[in-house]
């Protein structure tokens, strides 16, 4: 949290975009999602989860965006060039297209 958003980036410290952020966070914990380098591709990883069953660590997919559910109704995400990496936005900040569980 607090590091920069960089379009096409995949460094958690130097900057990443939303899909790069998700891929790198999971990589840090030994889960390889590197074949899913876009928010659309991340809609197909793991298992589908309903909103009613969402848990911390689930990947939340939106149109053109993706984040990780942290619990308590919020996501951690590489939000924008202005905001950078944040962990304070509501999981329902945009219409949810898919929720995926990989752990």
């Amino acid at each position: 949290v607090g590091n920069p958003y960089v379009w096409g980036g995949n460094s958690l410290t130097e900057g990443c975009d939303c899909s790069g952020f998700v891929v790198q966070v999971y990589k840090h914990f030994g889960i390889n999602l590197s074949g899913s380098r876009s928010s659309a591709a991340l809609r197909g990883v793991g298992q589908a989860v309903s909103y009613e069953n969402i848990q911390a660590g689930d990947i939340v997919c939106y149109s053109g965006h993706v984040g990780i559910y942290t619990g308590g109704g919020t996501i951690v995400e590489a939000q924008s060039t202005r905001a950078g990496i944040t962990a304070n936005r509501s999981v329902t900040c945009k219409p949810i297209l898919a929720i995926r569980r990989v752990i």
Side-chain angles (χ1 to χ4, degrees), residues 5-10 15-17 20 37:
Y5 176 101
V6 174
W7 189 86
N10 63 1
C16 54
D17 61 14
R37 193 52 187 94

Side-chain angles (χ1 to χ4, degrees), residues 58-74:
D58 289 343
I59 298 170
V60 185
C61 304
Y62 310 92
S63 179
H65 190 62
V66 64
I68 301 171
Y69 187 64
T70 58
T74 60

